[in-house]
Amino acid sequence: MNLNITGRHVEVTEALEQYAREKLEHVIRHFDHVTSCHVILSVEKNEQKAECTLHVKGKDIHAHAVGADLYAAIDAMIDKLDRQVRKHKEIVTNHHNGPAAPDAE
């Protein structure tokens, strides 16, 4: 998987980058069809913002969050991203399995 972390108006430190990578690994464990991931960390006035776009087969999943600091913003973004990935995985899994067969009693 290709992971790209970018900072806008903020320097992405090694600790911040490692923190984002570790959190994203938890999300990607749920769904292994992720081809690439782009994370943007930004600071605008008093807003600390984290955005992420996951590229999966057939869809792009995007989440963003604002927090008191970048670590809190990353945590909130990961929570949103995790919910979206789980939902996408459920839709893809149910789609491939087809409709449930009625009980033959």
Side-chain angles (χ1 to χ4, degrees), residues 64-75:
H64 71 278
V66 177
D69 63 357
L70 281 174
Y71 291 99
I74 290 170
D75 286 339

Side-chain angles (χ1 to χ4, degrees), residues 2-98:
N2 185 13
L3 176 60
N4 187 7
I5 300 176
T6 306
R8 285 192 192 147
H9 306 292
V10 66
E11 181 182 341
V12 180
T13 63
E14 185 65 36
L16 200 56
E17 183 176 342
Q18 186 63 30
Y19 186 77
R21 285 182 188 276
E22 287 174 5
K23 292 292 185 173
L24 282 167
E25 287 298 322
H26 294 295
V27 173
I28 294 168
R29 266 192 240 154
H30 296 295
F31 192 62
D32 58 349
H33 298 291
V34 176
T35 56
S36 68
C37 177
H38 185 76
V39 177
I40 300 172
L41 305 174
S42 62
V43 176
E44 297 172 4
K45 294 185 181 177
N46 295 330
E47 250 181 20
Q48 312 284 328
K49 190 174 179 185
E51 301 176 49
C52 182
T53 303
L54 285 178
H55 301 283
V56 297
K57 184 177 178 183
K59 187 172 183 175
D60 288 344
I61 300 173
H62 181 79
H64 71 278
V66 177
D69 63 357
L70 281 174
Y71 291 99
I74 290 170
D75 286 339
M77 177 202 58
I78 291 296
D79 289 341
K80 291 178 182 181
L81 201 60
D82 191 39
R83 282 193 300 269
Q84 290 182 30
V85 167
R86 286 181 188 216
K87 184 176 179 181
H88 179 70
K89 181 181 177 183
E90 183 178 315
I91 290 169
V92 170
T93 303
N94 289 341
H95 176 73
H96 289 296
N97 289 339

